[in-house]
Amino acid sequence: MMDIISYRRKFHKIPELGFHEVKTTKEIIKILENLNCKLYYGRAIYEHGAMSDMSDIEKGFTGVMAEFGKAPYFLFRADIDGLKIEETKDACHLPNKFGFASTNDNMHACGHDGHIALALALCEHFSETGESVRVLFQPAEEGVGGSIRMADFIMEDVKGFLSFHIGLGEQKGYIGVGTSNFLATTKLDLTFHGKAAHAANSPEEGISALSMAIAFIDMTKDLAIDAHHKKFINIGIINGGGQRNAVMDKITLGMDLRSDSDEAMYEMLEALEKTAKCICEAKGETYEIDIIARANAYKEENTKLVDAAIKKLNESGIKTHRMPSFGASEDVTRYLKVFKKKGLPALHLMLGTNLKGPHHSSEFDFDEEDLDFFYKAISLVYNEMKEEF
């Protein structure tokens, strides 16, 4: 068995993007095969009743779940994907200094390598104790496309849930308990269809998709106005055209919508579609919306559970922050909302550490010496949550 830091370094070297975590998944399976657990991988974690098949992993069915004991289970979730970021070559950067920097063009620039290491350490423990636990190594958290594709059975016969994230502003030596204020997000492509024509010879015969997109972009600021809710709209991608002397007949806007509640998100989506529809009707043309991924908003409300976990940590000398604000989006909210609706104990923890660079940057790194501290804190909270069953 490796220690937690060795696990972290092992996976830091092979970061892979969402649904492409082939090496990562196979390495996790190789480790878990030596433990006393049942494994689900390939289509088996995407489709209830499907068989685990290694060949499916290379087809995009990445991720794995380890199951210990028998139902009902406690569920842990750790994300496993990296980012399309090239790691810094700075000699002072710890992964470069100690030879565990990324071996490809991607990078674990958000701490998911640490999440994998913590989850593997938990698996080793539960293999010895035989406790009834599921540990899900989930793909594709970046872009919030992973959790929605996981099979529902993973959350069935479950009595409690715990997940965690390293960094994100939490102070070193502290554990944030009951993370709250996750933003809802919708990633979508909005495409306007026009009609091509020669830009000089017969422009009047064309209908410019670009003109429709410009009109829409000008109106987006109105879609986010709300005195009662936070709403954000970002257009990060614009694709269209291909011929300088042709009226553009198609343009796609890649958009990221955020809000502080699911209701506000639905309102924003409805207003967005009405706006696109009106613009297109005025031009006699069409549009289409393709939802790429989405995640729910989440506000922690189980203060009794939060306070019980804080008390447990404080009694062991661990400093805490109560219900820290996440302030961004994460697809872990799917699990949190499901268990909250069922009245089951569910928590998210923020694991405080010093960062060498901001999340999603080429200089990102966390203090890996904190991993044992994180493991202790996670174990204490889990043991306290068992009292809620």
Side-chain angles (χ1 to χ4, degrees):
M1 301 296 181
M2 292 186 183
D3 60 32
I4 302 180
I5 290 178
S6 296
Y7 277 139
R8 182 262 168 145
R9 293 185 177 189
K10 179 183 184 69
F11 288 96
H12 188 87
K13 294 175 71 173
I14 55 169
E16 296 167 293
L17 305 183
F19 300 121
H20 294 277
E21 307 98 327
V22 175
K23 288 183 179 178
T24 302
T25 298
K26 289 183 176 180
E27 286 296 325
I28 293 171
I29 291 171
K30 188 183 297 184
I31 294 165
L32 294 176
E33 283 178 334
N34 294 315
L35 305 182
N36 183 27
C37 63
K38 180 177 181 180
L39 296 182
Y40 298 82
Y41 51 82
R43 294 178 191 270
I45 60 172
Y46 292 77
E47 304 167 13
H48 193 189
M51 300 295 291
S52 295
D53 188 331
M54 291 290 282
S55 67
D56 285 334
I57 296 171
E58 295 189 18
K59 299 172 185 175
F61 296 95
T62 52
V64 58
M65 184 175 75
E67 186 177 87
F68 303 86
K70 59 183 180 180
Y73 303 97
F74 189 94
L75 177 63
F76 289 87
R77 172 269 199 179
D79 39 14
I80 66 172
D81 54 326
L83 290 150
K84 191 62 179 176
I85 294 172
E86 188 172 351
E87 191 159 11
T88 180
K89 300 298 191 293
D90 188 336
C92 295
H93 182 62
L94 194 72
N96 292 328
K97 188 175 181 180
F98 290 99
F100 64 95
S102 172
T103 54
N104 57 46
D105 293 335
N106 305 321
M107 181 185 173
H108 271 301
C110 202
H112 296 189
D113 50 339
H115 301 172
I116 296 169
L118 288 165
L120 286 170
L122 289 168
C123 286
E124 290 181 2
H125 173 73
F126 296 130
S127 178
E128 294 175 358
T129 65
E131 294 173 66
S132 296
V133 171
R134 286 173 174 162
V135 181
L136 174 63
F137 296 81
Q138 183 213 290
E141 182 280 319
E142 302 292 351
V144 300
S147 71
I148 194 65
R149 289 189 58 189
M150 298 294 97
D152 288 342
F153 87 89
I154 292 170
M155 294 181 284
E156 296 170 358
D157 296 321
V158 168
K159 55 191 176 182
F161 173 76
L162 183 61
S163 191
F164 43 82
H165 204 298
I166 293 171
L168 292 173
E170 188 57 71
Q171 187 177 343
K172 182 179 175 67
Y174 283 77
I175 301 296
V177 181
T179 314
S180 192
N181 299 324
F182 290 88
L183 297 178
T185 184
T186 301
K187 321 291 186 185
L188 62 86
D189 287 341
L190 170 60
T191 301
F192 290 98
H193 296 280
K195 182 181 178 182
H198 195 290
N201 181 264
S202 55
E204 72 282 359
E205 294 181 11
I207 299 175
S208 174
L210 176 61
S211 295
M212 291 188 283
I214 290 172
F216 176 84
I217 292 169
D218 186 56
M219 298 175 74
T220 53
K221 59 182 179 295
D222 296 327
L223 304 182
I225 293 174
D226 192 324
H228 306 288
H229 293 283
K230 291 181 180 179
K231 292 180 178 178
F232 309 95
I233 297 178
N234 184 64
I235 299 173
I237 301 170
I238 299 179
N239 285 325
Q243 194 70 34
R244 288 182 176 81
N245 63 347
V247 174
M248 192 182 297
D249 65 347
K250 180 181 178 182
I251 188 168
T252 298
L253 307 179
M255 304 179 67
D256 178 14
L257 282 60
R258 311 261 181 153
S259 63
D260 62 0
S261 75
D262 292 338
E263 293 73 21
M265 177 59 68
Y266 298 143
E267 291 170 3
M268 194 158 43
L269 283 168
E270 184 178 29
L272 182 153
E273 183 153 17
K274 284 182 178 178
T275 302
K277 182 178 180 182
C278 289
I279 291 170
C280 289
E281 286 180 346
K283 291 288 189 177
E285 283 297 337
T286 62
Y287 71 94
E288 58 185 297
I289 296 176
D290 182 19
I291 303 294
I292 307 300
R294 63 198 334 162
N296 297 109
Y298 181 81
K299 296 184 189 304
E300 183 56 64
E301 297 175 359
N302 191 341
T303 56
K304 179 182 177 183
L305 178 60
V306 170
D307 291 340
I310 286 175
K311 182 180 179 183
K312 185 78 169 181
L313 291 169
N314 292 164
E315 288 174 347
S316 297
I318 295 176
K319 294 176 286 189
T320 57
H321 283 141
R322 188 175 186 269
M323 296 171 60
S325 178
F326 195 75
S329 304
E330 227 269 30
D331 67 5
V332 72
T333 55
R334 180 193 178 202
Y335 312 104
L336 290 166
K337 294 203 79 163
V338 166
F339 297 123
K340 179 178 182 179
K341 188 175 181 180
K342 292 180 179 180
L344 295 170
L347 278 180
H348 185 273
L349 304 178
M350 300 279 278
L351 311 177
T353 188
N354 289 331
L355 301 180
K356 300 300 183 183
H359 287 266
H360 295 204
S361 74
S362 62
E363 296 82 22
F364 175 84
D365 192 23
F366 63 89
D367 190 346
E368 62 184 14
E369 297 295 331
D370 289 330
L371 285 169
D372 286 321
F373 167 66
F374 298 156
Y375 177 79
K376 176 183 176 182
I378 291 166
S379 300
L380 286 168
V381 173
Y382 161 68
N383 287 329
E384 180 60 31
M385 291 179 73
K386 286 193 297 184
E387 301 300 319
E388 295 286 322
F389 301 161

